[in-house]
Amino acid sequence: MTIGKWSRIISTVFTGIVLIIVFYALLGELYLPGEKTDVRNICETYTEGWVQVLQDGTTQAVDLPGNLVNEGTFGAKISHVLPDVIGDDMYLIFRASKQDMEIYVGDELRTAYSTEFSRIFGKVSPTFYVFVKLHPEDAGKMITADYYTEIDKYVGLVSEIFYANYNGFLKYMIAEQGTIFLIAIIMIVIGILALVISVALLIIYRRRQKLTSVSMGVLVVSVWIICNSIFRQFLFPNVAVVGELAFLMVALLPCPFAVYINQIQKNRYEKVYYSIEAIALLDTILSTIAYLTGHKDFSETFYCMAAVILIFLVTVFVTMVLDAKRGYIKNYLVTAIALGVDGIVMLAQVAIYLQTDKTFDISLAAIGLMILLAIALFDTFKDIDMIKKEKESAVLENTAKSQFLANMSHEIRTPINAVLGMNTMILRESKDENIRKYANDIQSAGKSLLSVINDILDFSKIESGKMTLTYADYEFAAMMNDVVNMIKPKAEDRSLAFELLVDETIPSVYIGDDVRIKQILINLLTNAVKYTPEGTVTLTVTGKGRDEDGSALLHFSVKDTGIGIKPEDISKLTEEFVRIEESRNRKIEGTGLGINISGSLLHLMGSKLEVQSVYGEGSDFSFTLKQMVLNANPIGNIWEKMQQEVVEEEYVVDFCIPDGKLLVVDDNDMNRSVFKNLLKEMNCQIDDVDCGEKCLEMVQKTKYDIIFMDHMMPGMDGIETFRQMKEMGDYLNADTPVVILTANAISGARGGYMAEGFREYLTKPIDGKQLEKTIGKLMPKKKKKPSVKSEPLTVEKPALEEFPVIDGVDWQSAYAKLEDVGYLKQASEIFVAMAENDLETLLEMYGKLSEEGADFSELRIKVHSMKSNAATIGANHVAGLAKYIEYAAKENDLNTIQALMPVFSREWTKLREAVAQGLGIPISTGENQTLGETLSKEELLEYLDMLAEAMETMDIDRADAVMEELAEHPYESTQRELLEQLKPQVMNMDPEASGAIIDEWKKQLG
Amino acid sequence: MDKILLIGEESGFFKNLKDALSDDFRVVTCGINYTLIRRVIQMNQTRIAICIKPENMNATAVKEINDAFPKMTLIVICEEKDDSMKWFSGEKQICLNKPLKIKALKEDMAVILSEPEEVEDNRKRVLAVDDNGLVLRTIKQVLEDEFVVEFANSGIKALDMLKKNPYDVCLLDYEMPIVNGLEVFKAIQNRYPTLPVIFLTGVSDRKRIEEVAIHHPAGYVLKPIEAERIKEKIHKALA
């Protein structure tokens, strides 16, 4: 049973018991015969026959109850002759209404009442019933009652006088105020209970309860009743305090009820209620101050309190009428009715009070309050029930959401897998240009679609709090490589420059979620490119030192010179689906989810996306990440590192497995077909089954090299099948690696799969390259054979070994660009041929620099050219030196050039010699190189003409042919020298320089 | 004037033929040295080679020469009684027996020479402009299979060549002495606004390229030249 039901039962039982008790009590007292007591209960009003004794001693008949003549002395005296017979145990009971009294029987001061010495504050004694004991001997004597008060209103006020015995008066009191007193007691008890319950609920559920304010209100009222009742002087030793309490209760009365009604009305009129509360509190404080300072008694300021209550009641009435008009009242109809009735009753009682001077009688209204309390209690428990239900449904909803996400992920990705997979086959097999063009379009559209879907799924995941990070170790350069590969082409398409600046001191290997970091970077960079019509996009990574626990702090910044963002729009960036300035940016594709996802991912990583932008000039998106370091070696030059990554990657793919056996388990026909097609070129045996059961059969019959298992299958899913396989113990495929295929986009799943025992995990749509890589990893080495197509690769690998290991020369990167080993060799030869001359020219220009009016630009262009040549053969360190000299020349910085030139010159020469030696390129041709006969003058002139013509028309082949021919004949020394001079110029295809040498030679020939 | 290559051993016939042809043509003679023969043909872009007494030669070699130079016409002159047709190996070949009809031969040769040399070539024409020979050679190596590539080593020469021949795309180095790439580019833009121009540039020059990118979206390629990249860029520009 829910707590709601329990509490309802409790409250019902409780109310029932209370009602029974009350009922019984009432019945009992009203209808049951009373116990006969010996004592006759006497209680008579004794207001006839009194005379006022005036100052001068004269007497005047008075009508009581009523006011005596006010002589301005703050006092008034009345007297009476006591009856002839006075029984035992009789009293005269006077009511001192805020008056001090002295009562004389005869000349004897029988009784005096004053709280002058027993009260702390106030200038008058509280209202009190003064008991004057009468003895039988007092019969016939004169009794004088002297009333004294400093409050004008009460001067000479004589309200009640009784002639009664104790029991009789008691009976009278009970009859007068018994019921209400009882009710008050009950109210206090219930009020306290309710208050306790509401506080407990507040702590447990952290929700404010209406119950609290109502119970407070009820307590206030009940305390008031008790403090105001006749019984007080019998219950409490110090009546003064009690009297003050009563007034304070009245003053504070509106507050709890204001809070309660405001809560019921759902804060619609909260301003008004708060004002009333404020007024009530103010009134309380002021009245208290007045009272404490002896200025005005509470009874004198009572009218203020009453006024506040009146205002309050009127307000409640008005708001309820408004709510009735607006239709809100339906929400709290029952309470409203109770309040309404109660309110009217209270108004009536206030009116009565103002009319008469009877004490403020709240009896009926009190009952109404009880009803309110009961309603509030009921409501509270209903609320709790609702909270419980909400919680339950939220949990259900969450589970439903996760289920939905997982399903959607699978449902959407499966067909896309088929589309892209089949399309890949088309691209692989079709030679028709048109069809290939269509297929390429399909590929890019398909990839776009996949990207949008991934965005949406990611977004949903984040929204339902399901996004988690997966930690794995990764190389920073590899991550950057992927990012650059994605972005560079996009930038170049829009003729934008893309700059990557990575702090060389940062560590090279980390542990973190590089997939997500890549996602964020690519997202920011794609945006930068998208929103930059011209200029530069820069990705800067700076190390910001280490955190206390040893993690590295990396600051990433994506800057662009694009259209910028207005300051007021920056906050809009993270709102999902909002794209800024939609009208201006309509032409730019995108869902607008990117920044939101990036921001959320960063938040998950404990970071924050920061945006700075100048509208019309550009933007800077940045964030700082904390990443655990696995290898602290500084990463160095990022471009070099990335090149290494590229080349390494290229060597993995392209092999076939003619003896290999693979098993694919997937319920979807399309998927199996795609899979088999992707691996057609591997030439291996691929078995496929459509369910887990069949898989279990197959693995008992054939030993497979790798098993690919789809996760989501009807009936027995991939995980279940795998578990059953494990349970088979030592069977044929006990050691076979199993790769799980899943459309499950939820990150963190990887860990789960690995823990389960899968060797690898591939997401759908399956990427051909990833698949090949995985197979490459998991296939036993002996089964891997070079594929027919890949001959060039396998031939090249050893061929590159013929290139000498030279410190600072990265043949791999040079090869990666030229894609041809033969040409790489050729380029090296050309390099060697030109190198000496290049350096000579450079040094000449360098020598001229120290002169006045030196031309740095000439040197700059030359060294720029040399840099390019060095880079072509992968001599990156020499190229680097050249670069610095080039930059220095740009700045006309002679000092730096002077610092660098010697080392550059040395390194250049070393490089040239190392390459020449390593590759067997002759550096200088000696006489022994020439075969053939000496050319005749005609022939030589002929050749020289041909050469000149070839150079003029920039006909490389022809020029090379002539040079080759010329090189095979001997010459005398000066001509030999001219030939040597010609070589670099022809290498460099410089018609002017070569032309000059040819002219010189022709001149020499005469 | 076109040069005719006369191949054969020194003999009376050889000398007579040379003299006879020298009136109308420029004649270069060559002994039976296959390497030299190929070299000379290549250097001179010989259109007609006359081979005398091929029986002294290696038949395979003759065939090879004929195959190696498809644009060249090979005239084989055999002895009277020989079967000249046994030398025949291709279209661009004429087999003659002695005695030679010089006049007819000259006329035939004139006809051959007057035919336009260019076989129809669907390939796109690329003009590469750079002051660095290594760069030009790299471009040649990478592109010559797919395109007809011609070169210039300065902006002025480039403009000259653009005037003389049609090109489909231009590769332009940014840093060149005397007149830099940007200036050349502007000049090209003025005269040939529809010609796609792709810049060849080092990493440091990007900022300047921006100025240009506004006018012409064909883009740029970073040096050192990457084969794939540059081919991609060219294809894109031609699309």
Side-chain angles (χ1 to χ4, degrees), chain A residues 499 860 958 965 988 992, chain B residues 39 43 133 157 175 206:
Chain A
E499 214 169 31
R860 176 173 60 89
R958 213 159 160 207
E965 176 63 39
N988 203 25
E992 289 78 33
Chain B
R39 187 75 61 67
M43 286 195 298
K157 296 254 184 70
E175 285 276 20
R206 269 182 345 294

Side-chain angles (χ1 to χ4, degrees), chain A residues 952-953, chain B residues 125 127 150 156-167 191-192:
Chain A
E952 206 48 43
T953 55
Chain B
R125 298 171 52 78
L127 175 64
E150 289 177 14
I156 303 169
K157 296 254 184 70
L159 289 168
D160 204 41
M161 290 185 73
L162 284 168
K163 226 189 325 198
K164 294 194 188 142
N165 310 295
Y167 293 99
R191 292 170 221 192
Y192 313 96

Side-chain angles (χ1 to χ4, degrees), chain A residues 488 492-493 495-497 499 534-536 817-820 823 830 860-861 864-865 868-869 871 886-887 890 942-943 946 954 956-958 960-962 964-965 968 986-992, chain B residues 3 26 36 39 42-45 131-138 140-141 151-153 157 175-177 204-207 210 213-214 216-217 219-220 222-229 233 236:
Chain A
K488 204 139 96 98
E492 283 175 7
D493 276 349
S495 298
L496 298 171
E499 214 169 31
E534 47 155 352
T536 320
K817 297 197 166 76
L818 299 172
E819 297 181 353
D820 186 309
Y823 192 63
I830 299 171
R860 176 173 60 89
I861 292 175
H864 174 94
S865 186
S868 171
N869 292 350
E886 184 192 344
Y887 284 176
K890 231 189 216 175
E942 194 64 64
Y943 285 132
M946 266 196 282
M954 297 290 275
I956 298 177
D957 288 326
R958 213 159 160 207
D960 285 348
V962 176
E964 226 181 288
E965 176 63 39
E968 285 177 8
V986 172
M987 284 298 187
N988 203 25
M989 290 307 289
D990 187 337
E992 289 78 33
Chain B
K3 297 183 189 166
R26 277 186 69 185
L36 191 57
R39 187 75 61 67
Q42 197 173 9
M43 286 195 298
N44 292 331
Q45 309 274 287
D131 63 316
N132 184 324
L134 186 50
V135 173
L136 292 177
R137 287 165 181 276
T138 314
K140 173 177 183 293
Q141 211 270 336
F151 309 94
N153 76 332
K157 296 254 184 70
E175 285 276 20
M176 287 194 287
S204 50
D205 301 322
R206 269 182 345 294
K207 294 246 158 58
E210 291 155 32
I214 312 167
H216 206 84
Y220 63 93
L222 289 176
K223 290 205 261 189
I225 308 285
E226 287 169 64
E228 270 311 306
R229 265 282 165 263
K233 267 280 136 127
K236 244 201 188 124

Side-chain angles (χ1 to χ4, degrees), chain A residues 308-325:
Chain A
V308 175
I309 294 175
L310 196 66
I311 294 172
F312 172 65
L313 290 173
V314 168
T315 312
V316 171
F317 183 69
V318 167
T319 56
M320 289 212 294
V321 166
L322 278 172
D323 274 355
K325 261 214 295 206

